[in-house]
Amino acid sequence: MRKVYLDNNATTRMREEALEAMLPYYKEIYGNASSVHEFGRTARIAIDGARKKVADLLGTSSVEEVFFTSGGTEADNFAIKGVAHALKAKGDHIITSAIEHHAVLNTCKFLEKEGYKVTYVKVGKDALVDLDELKKAITPKTILITIMYANNEVGTIEPIEEIGKIAKEKGVYFHTDAVQAVAKLPFEARNLNVDLLSMSGHKIYGPKGIGALYIRKGTKITQLFHGGHHEMGKRAGTENVAGIVGLGKAAELARKELGEENRKLKELRDYLYKGIVSKIQDVRLNGHPEKRLPNTLNVGFKYLEGESIVLNLDMEGIAVSTGSACTSGSLEPSHVLTAMGVDPAETQGSIRFSLGRDNTKEDMDYVLGVLGPIIKRLREMSPLYDGRKQT
Amino acid sequence: MEGQYSEKVMEHFKNPRNVGEIPDASGVGNVGNPVCGDIMRLYIKVDDKEVITDAKFKTFGCGAAIATSSMVTELIKGKTIQEALKVSNHAVAEALGGLPKIKMHCSVLAEQALRGAIDDYMAKKKAQGPNSKG
């Protein structure tokens, strides 16, 4: 059976070049990068090289602004808790949005338990953060604004430059969870008025278990992990050398291919959407029609529940998801679609197709071929569809 | 394997039994709402010996909701109303080889849909009087 993977916002297949680059660091080059002997020095050189590549991708000329973490979740935790704890004397107020990834939302909720105050700014029906509300939320006690660069479920790209300007004017730190934006959108951290920016390796065809946090020079931050002097004293723990090397390779290639890759993905994605709309009635596009990640398509199929669609597509070898993989074990409707004001009945039947570099036009045609009959069969089973036909 | 469906659940999800409506049903049970993500409508046809001769369903919901709907219709066909009243949500889940904990509420919905259909049948019978064949 044909296999079509359309869940690249959950994770990507590691590219061959990254794996090849990593293998020596699981075998002969096993030194601890903190050691002074040659074994250690070789590992250190590899880490330095990878840091440069990640710095280039993120758009900073200073490698001292890139800190390796175990992934996007740690980068988010580090940024938010780190700033909150470092600036405790200055204030206790954090601003975020209602549609953040749980790595940000639940970190903010944790800080609320510690006594911090958090404002969850609303979004519009296209998932764009309400900038007026954001401005109004800032108080003299505000120490951090954390807003995602692009949403993982619907792909909407937030006005990061504007938010950065607002934050800078008010003298508030600005963190952005750019896990979905890195390697999909061209940007330079140095031009964004961003103080902290999170990224993950496995979303950009690199390995799992590795990520990075960009910390602008001079930003006050308390470390999460205490121990040795790794990562310029900000993140203790022996470096995951192979992971770092893999991330570096993925970053280097992503930077080179970004433009071409995204043109291709956008074309395929739009082809898929046009096909869906021409074959299936009562569908809606979730997310901003234009300000959207080039690979992301979130479609609501009216009268249906998402899991039954996911399982049926899975039986045909097609991998998609309802909202985010992290929440598919829960029964709650997507917090993102709910925040966008989507009718509760309609949040249930929303499916995310997130494309990746392996996808082809043939893949899209295959999906379009099986999707129609699946939707038709499930709708015939749905009492809601039945109700609609009668009225 | 928490959170994963059993083979039996997947089998009923892939090939659900008794999908559809019974236009002249003896009783219809409606449960759930779209906000919580599941709606079941269960139809039963009952003969004058109080035997359920046919059962059909329509369901909006996840894999477990569809599988439990399918299974409950299979379990009650051929049973008398009194026997069908004893079909519990646990019996439905068990017949499916178990359900993930987070999906047990689907079996509860199936039981409620069945009770709803039986209540509807009883109410109709009562309204029509003892001599009516319904």
Side-chain angles (χ1 to χ4, degrees), chain B residues 18-40:
Chain B
N18 311 310
V19 176
E21 299 166 38
I22 302 177
D24 59 341
S26 318
V28 183
N30 268 305
V31 288
N33 66 70
V35 179
C36 75
D38 298 293
I39 301 175
M40 283 182 199

Side-chain angles (χ1 to χ4, degrees), chain B residues 6 12 14-15 83 90-91 100 117 121:
Chain B
S6 71
H12 272 261
K14 277 185 219 174
N15 307 298
E83 287 165 341
H90 289 287
Y121 159 74

Side-chain angles (χ1 to χ4, degrees), chain A residues 32-47:
Chain A
N32 184 324
S34 300
S35 305
V36 293
H37 45 63
E38 198 200 325
F39 291 83
R41 290 199 307 273
T42 315
R44 171 60 53 201
I45 289 167
I47 292 175

Side-chain angles (χ1 to χ4, degrees), chain B residues 24-27 45-51 121 124-134:
Chain B
D24 59 341
S26 318
K45 183 79 186 160
V46 184
D47 70 8
D48 45 12
K49 292 189 189 95
E50 296 231 306
V51 173
Y121 159 74
K124 275 183 188 155
K125 202 172 90 169
K126 209 169 163 190
Q128 284 165 351
N131 296 325
S132 164
K133 288 201 171 181

Side-chain angles (χ1 to χ4, degrees), chain A residues 7-191:
Chain A
D7 204 9
N8 288 276
N9 285 9
T11 195
T12 60
R13 182 168 76 85
M14 185 162 52
R15 53 193 307 161
E16 206 61 42
E17 302 95 320
L19 178 63
E20 286 302 319
M22 291 167 76
L23 286 175
Y25 297 90
Y26 281 125
K27 296 190 216 166
E28 56 268 26
I29 311 173
Y30 55 84
N32 184 324
S34 300
S35 305
V36 293
H37 45 63
E38 198 200 325
F39 291 83
R41 290 199 307 273
T42 315
R44 171 60 53 201
I45 289 167
I47 292 175
D48 289 346
R51 202 185 306 277
K52 175 79 176 73
K53 288 168 184 166
V54 173
D56 286 344
L57 178 66
L58 297 182
T60 165
S61 42
S62 173
V63 290
E64 283 146 39
E65 294 183 323
V66 175
F67 297 83
F68 292 117
T69 66
S70 61
T73 293
E74 187 195 324
D76 286 339
N77 271 264
F78 184 13
I80 298 168
K81 289 178 194 164
V83 166
H85 289 151
L87 299 189
K88 207 167 185 171
K90 185 177 177 247
D92 61 358
H93 181 232
I94 297 166
I95 299 172
T96 186
S97 83
I99 60 163
E100 297 297 310
H101 189 275
H102 283 102
V104 168
L105 282 182
N106 287 342
T107 302
C108 288
K109 285 192 183 133
F110 171 78
L111 287 173
E112 281 183 288
K113 281 186 201 147
E114 285 195 348
Y116 291 86
K117 318 256 182 318
V118 180
T119 302
Y120 301 88
V121 175
K122 288 197 199 84
V123 298
K125 60 180 180 1
D126 43 18
L128 284 174
V129 166
D130 185 331
L131 289 182
D132 285 332
E133 208 194 314
L134 177 90
K135 274 184 219 161
K136 281 181 203 147
I138 301 172
T139 76
K141 289 275 184 194
T142 307
I143 48 175
L144 178 69
I145 296 172
T146 171
I147 305 281
M148 67 199 330
Y149 203 129
N151 182 266
N152 49 313
E153 287 190 32
V154 297
T156 295
I157 302 164
E158 300 298 339
I160 293 305
E161 279 182 62
E162 279 107 308
I163 298 169
K165 263 181 223 150
I166 294 168
K168 198 178 181 188
E169 274 167 27
K170 300 279 184 178
V172 176
Y173 280 158
F174 177 35
H175 164 249
T176 187
D177 171 354
V179 164
Q180 294 294 344
V182 170
K184 294 194 192 108
L185 301 172
F187 68 82
E188 308 235 294
R190 61 165 84 83
N191 300 331

